[in-house]
Amino acid sequence: MITIGRILLVPLTVWLIITGQFPAAFLVFIVAGISDAVDGFIAKHFGQTTELGAYLDPIADKLLLVSIYISLGFLNELPPWVVILVVSRDILIIGAVLLSWLVDKPVKVQPLVVSKINTVAQIVLACLVLAALAFGLALNSVILLCAIAVGILTVLSGAAYMREWLRHMANGLTGSP
C-alpha cells in the first residue's frame, strides 16, 4: 500500500513542479523518499515482502525520478542531456527485459553496485534542484557537478546492465537461426 501511495504521488509531484509550486514539490519528494525507506524497513524487518512489492517498488522509484527529471528538464532546470541519458537508460533496460520475455529467456534484473550509486546520485541531483527552486538557493555550480556525475554514472550503469543482459541472452544460444 505504501508503494502504491508513492506511485500516486507521481502525478502530484509533476503537477507541483510544472505549476511552479516548488516548496510543495520538494516536500512531496521528501515524503516519497521517507515512505520508500519506511516501506523497505517494514518489508525487511517484519517479513512483509511480496512478489508484487518486489516489482512495484523499483517501478515506483523510477516513475518518480524519471517524472521529476522530465518535468525539471521541461522547465530548463536540468540540462537536456542529463534528462535524455536518464530516460534513455531506463527505456533501454525496460526494452531489454521485455525482449528477453518475448524470446522466452526472461531475465531477473538484479541491482548492480554502479546502479545503486547512480540512483543515489539521481536522487541527490533531483533534491538539490528542487531545494534550490523551493528555497532560492544558489547551487548552480554544485548542481552542474552533480549533473555531470549523474551523466557519467548513468552511462556506466546502462553499459553494465547491457553487458549483463547480453551475457544472459547469449547463454545457451547455439548461434544458428
Side-chain angles (χ1 to χ4, degrees):
M1 294 305 290
I2 295 171
T3 301
I4 291 171
R6 225 167 52 248
I7 291 170
L8 295 175
L9 289 178
V10 171
L12 173 62
T13 307
V14 169
W15 179 74
L16 291 170
I17 291 171
I18 63 174
T19 59
Q21 299 179 58
F22 300 116
F26 179 76
L27 179 63
V28 171
F29 183 65
I30 296 299
V31 166
I34 291 170
S35 73
D36 187 26
V38 168
D39 190 24
F41 178 82
I42 290 171
K44 289 176 186 162
H45 288 55
F46 296 104
Q48 298 294 315
T49 57
T50 64
E51 187 175 351
L52 178 62
Y55 285 108
L56 285 181
D57 186 65
I59 290 171
D61 295 343
K62 283 301 164 188
L63 278 174
L64 184 62
L65 275 175
V66 167
S67 297
I68 287 172
Y69 271 67
I70 291 170
S71 301
L72 291 172
F74 178 76
L75 296 177
N76 293 314
E77 297 296 341
L78 275 177
W81 58 268
V82 172
V83 176
I84 291 166
L85 285 174
V86 168
V87 173
S88 296
R89 173 197 167 269
D90 288 343
I91 289 171
L92 285 171
I93 291 170
I94 291 167
V97 169
L98 290 175
L99 181 59
S100 70
W101 286 348
L102 286 173
V103 298
D104 204 25
K105 281 193 66 108
V107 61
K108 183 171 178 161
V109 179
Q110 298 288 353
L112 304 173
V113 173
V114 68
S115 177
K116 290 180 180 185
I117 295 168
N118 180 45
T119 299
V120 169
Q122 287 180 9
I123 291 168
V124 168
L125 178 56
C127 196
L128 285 171
V129 174
L130 288 173
L133 292 168
F135 306 113
L137 305 173
L139 300 174
N140 294 351
S141 297
V142 174
I143 289 171
L144 178 59
L145 288 174
C146 194
I148 292 168
V150 165
I152 292 167
L153 288 166
T154 299
V155 169
L156 291 174
S157 173
Y161 273 123
M162 283 297 111
R163 183 186 68 232
E164 293 299 315
W165 180 78
L166 288 169
R167 283 183 186 159
H168 170 80
M169 296 303 287
N171 187 23
L173 293 181
T174 62
S176 58

